[in-house]
């Protein structure tokens, strides 16, 4: 969509047909919401009736941090969690309106290359089994964490923390959700937020072994884990599961080599982290915008494409490093240590710190600013002064 709006000729190939319910719990945190707004698409998301999320509640055992996230300018940092069937349709319609030629039902199998290794297009198959071939001066692999384009060009991992956790989720009718709620438990996390059609998505982050090592199906593991959470029992008693339970355990945390002659990877294909941080969609949007900026500046002759893409890669690495690290620590599901609990109790007792931390979860404040030593000292000193 962005490339076409910039006047470039774009062909979009996807093996899926849309609307497609991609596996995702789809909370779009603040940077993603601001990009949607900038692209003129947020109104369309809101018009689907997807409820706004204005409040974030994070629980560490009995310590609850509950507040209204805000932007740097002090405005409410409203976010949304539209179903992927809804979001992807809006994005696809906007791409078509911008002039993108869309072909669905086409699975990419490989890339076309010249003798010097430069990528010049892709090959694939349509649903009749017929081979297809498309040439391009830039192949953009926006094909997710198990990217075929990455494999075809031999893009290796430049950082790899492995798969740390598994996620299970389902949609509930009649489950209360006043904003987003995240619970950090012993070796287990849960989160929920409202989405389209009056439903609430309730996700569980569990050790991978809980899913991979069980002979029970995804739905049964989900029910068993929920049954082990007495804090949810009374709310779930009045709620009903709608549709099937989804699960994913192959959630590797990595950065890949993300560009080379004639190709670039975008979104999860380039950089993937556990969904526990709800960053994937926002990061994929930001990545798309960065790649388009690089391509457009190269086409205007200001800078060679390789250099523009390398600059974008370096900016993305710098912008996402602290969050990647934070997410990997969360996804390891190690018990929360006493030092962190002391900090969380101090945050819960301090309205300014509460605002800051819930804004980190909503993506409107930076994790590295929250964990800056001077900020932590201020929060802990405030708590010490109050307890004297
Ligand atoms: C369980 C779970 C929960 C999540 N929850 C959240 C959340 O709450 N918030 C959030 O921001 N992120 C969340 N994410 C992450 C988020 O879904 C991804 O980061 C985001 O979808 C990445 O977008 P993308 O365009 O890079 O890849 P995708 O959305 O995966 O899109 C890839 C596209 O490529 C197509 N494709 C793949 N291979 C081929 C091929 N060979 N040929 C043709 N087409 C192909 C697919 O059909 C698909 O349409 C979650 C992920 C999981 C697994």
């Amino acid at each position: 969509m962005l490339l076409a709006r910039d006047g470039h000729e774009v062909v979009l190939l996807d093996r899926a047909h849309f609307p497609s319910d991609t596996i995702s719990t789809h909370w779009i945190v603040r940077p993603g919401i601001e990009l949607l707004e900038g692209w003129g698409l947020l109104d369309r998301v809101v018009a689907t009736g997807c409820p706004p999320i204005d409040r974030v509640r994070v629980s560490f055992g009995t310590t609850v941090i509950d507040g209204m996230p805000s932007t740097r300018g002090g405005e409410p940092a409203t976010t949304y969690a539209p179903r992927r069937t809804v979001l992807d349709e809006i994005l696809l319609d906007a791409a078509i309106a911008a002039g993108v030629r869309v072909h669905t039902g086409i699975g990419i199998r490989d890339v076309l290359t010249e003798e010097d290794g430069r990528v010049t297009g892709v090959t694939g198959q349509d649903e009749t089994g017929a081979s297809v071939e498309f040439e391009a001066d830039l192949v953009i692999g926006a094909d997710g964490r198990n990217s075929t384009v990455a494999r075809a060009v031999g893009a290796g991992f430049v950082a790899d923390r492995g798969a740390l956790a598994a996620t299970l989720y389902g949609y509930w009718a009649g489950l209360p959700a006043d904003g987003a709620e995240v619970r950090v438990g012993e070796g287990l996390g849960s989160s929920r937020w409202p989405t389209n059609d009056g439903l609430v998505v309730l996700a569980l982050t569990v050790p991978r072994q809980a899913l991979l090592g069980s002979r029970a199906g995804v739905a049964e593991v989900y029910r068993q884990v929920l049954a082990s959470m007495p804090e949810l029992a009374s709310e779930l008693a009045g709620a009903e599961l709608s549709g099937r339970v989804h699960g994913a355990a192959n959630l590797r945390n990595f950065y890949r080599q993300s560009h080379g002659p004639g190709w670039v990877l975008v979104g999860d294909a380039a950089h993937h982290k556990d969904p526990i941080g709800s960053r994937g969609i926002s990061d994929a949007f930001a990545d798309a915008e960065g790649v388009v900026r690089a391509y457009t500046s190269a086409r205007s002759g200001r800078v060679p494409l390789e250099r523009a893409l390398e600059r974008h890669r370096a900016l993305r690495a710098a912008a996402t490093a602290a969050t990647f690290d934070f997410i990997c620590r969360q996804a390891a599901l190690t018990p929360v240590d006493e030092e962190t609990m002391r900090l969380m109790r101090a945050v819960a007792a301090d309205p300014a710190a509460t605002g800051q931390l819930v804004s980190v979860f909503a993506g409107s404040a930076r994790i590295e600013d929250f964990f800056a030593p001077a900020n932590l000292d201020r929060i802990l000193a405030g708590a010490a002064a109050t307890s004297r």
Side-chain angles (χ1 to χ4, degrees):
M1 177 193 75
L2 298 175
L3 282 169
R5 285 181 179 179
D6 269 2
H8 304 296
E9 194 184 334
V10 185
V11 177
L12 187 152
L13 308 171
D14 204 302
R15 68 177 167 212
H17 290 284
F18 295 89
S20 153
D21 206 4
T22 301
I23 294 218
S24 178
T25 52
H26 46 76
W27 183 20
I28 310 180
V29 293
R30 195 59 202 175
I33 294 296
E34 286 171 9
L35 286 168
L36 279 175
E37 190 167 21
W39 300 339
L41 302 179
L42 183 60
D43 287 351
R44 291 184 217 181
V45 171
V46 175
T48 67
C50 186
I53 296 172
D54 288 315
R55 178 177 177 185
V56 174
R57 199 178 142 94
V58 188
S59 312
F60 293 80
T62 54
T63 302
V64 179
I65 296 155
D66 187 349
M68 316 290 269
S70 56
T71 63
R72 275 186 180 201
E75 300 294 318
T78 304
T79 51
Y80 296 86
R83 285 291 287 259
R84 285 295 295 259
T85 41
V86 167
L87 175 69
D88 290 15
E89 190 82 335
I90 290 172
L91 292 170
L92 195 68
D93 284 352
I96 293 167
V100 174
R101 281 191 286 138
V102 175
H103 300 273
T104 55
I106 293 195
I108 301 305
R109 291 286 170 88
D110 207 345
V111 290
L112 296 165
T113 47
E114 284 186 340
E115 267 173 25
D116 61 1
R118 178 173 198 84
V119 170
T120 56
V122 291
T123 61
Q125 243 180 7
D126 70 15
E127 284 166 333
T128 69
S131 298
V132 293
E133 204 175 288
F134 293 85
E135 290 189 350
D137 71 341
L138 182 66
V139 169
I140 302 176
D143 51 348
R145 62 187 190 278
N146 301 314
S147 171
T148 304
V149 174
R151 186 162 36 77
V153 299
F157 295 112
V158 291
D160 181 9
R161 306 258 187 110
L164 298 168
T167 299
L168 306 163
Y169 67 96
Y171 294 91
W172 292 79
L175 182 67
D178 177 11
E181 189 169 327
V182 177
R183 287 173 197 249
V184 182
E186 286 286 314
L188 174 68
S190 76
S191 51
R192 71 167 113 156
W193 35 80
T195 183
N196 296 90
D197 305 321
L199 297 174
V200 167
V201 55
L202 173 58
L204 302 173
T205 305
V206 298
R208 296 179 76 225
Q209 230 7 57
L211 194 59
L212 300 178
S214 170
R215 299 175 74 159
V218 172
E220 187 49 33
V221 175
Y222 184 69
R223 279 180 212 282
Q224 286 168 1
V225 178
L226 284 178
S228 74
M229 301 174 77
E231 65 275 23
L232 289 180
S234 64
E235 290 174 314
L236 288 177
E240 195 183 333
L241 193 58
S242 162
R244 69 183 190 90
V245 175
H246 307 260
N250 61 340
L251 301 167
R252 196 167 182 165
N253 295 275
F254 65 77
Y255 287 86
R256 277 197 182 106
Q257 176 197 359
S258 59
H259 64 92
W263 63 272
V264 61
L265 303 177
V266 175
D268 279 4
H271 163 50
H272 179 260
K273 57 265 153 199
D274 196 278
I276 199 166
S278 305
R279 297 297 167 128
I281 298 171
S282 288
D283 282 0
F285 286 173
D287 210 13
E289 198 162 77
V291 165
V292 171
R293 204 176 303 123
Y295 185 72
T296 299
S297 67
R299 284 295 290 255
S300 69
R302 288 200 294 277
V303 53
L305 180 59
E306 284 287 297
R307 200 182 315 149
L309 290 175
E310 176 52 23
R311 186 177 142 72
H312 165 65
R313 185 209 59 76
L315 288 173
R316 176 185 58 215
T320 55
T323 306
F324 180 61
D325 195 54
F326 183 60
I327 286 174
C328 289
R329 276 189 286 140
Q330 279 183 286
L333 295 173
T334 46
V336 181
D337 57 36
E338 183 45 37
E339 195 186 342
T340 308
M341 279 312 301
R342 193 162 63 91
L343 175 65
M344 292 307 140
R345 284 193 292 272
V347 171
D350 173 341
T354 291
Q356 221 184 0
L357 190 63
V358 295
S359 297
V360 166
F361 276 83
S364 59
R366 288 172 3 125
I367 186 79
E368 49 271 58
D369 293 341
F370 178 81
F371 281 107
N375 193 46
L376 298 186
D377 288 351
R378 188 191 59 71
I379 295 168
L380 291 168
T386 317
S387 67
R388 271 203 292 272

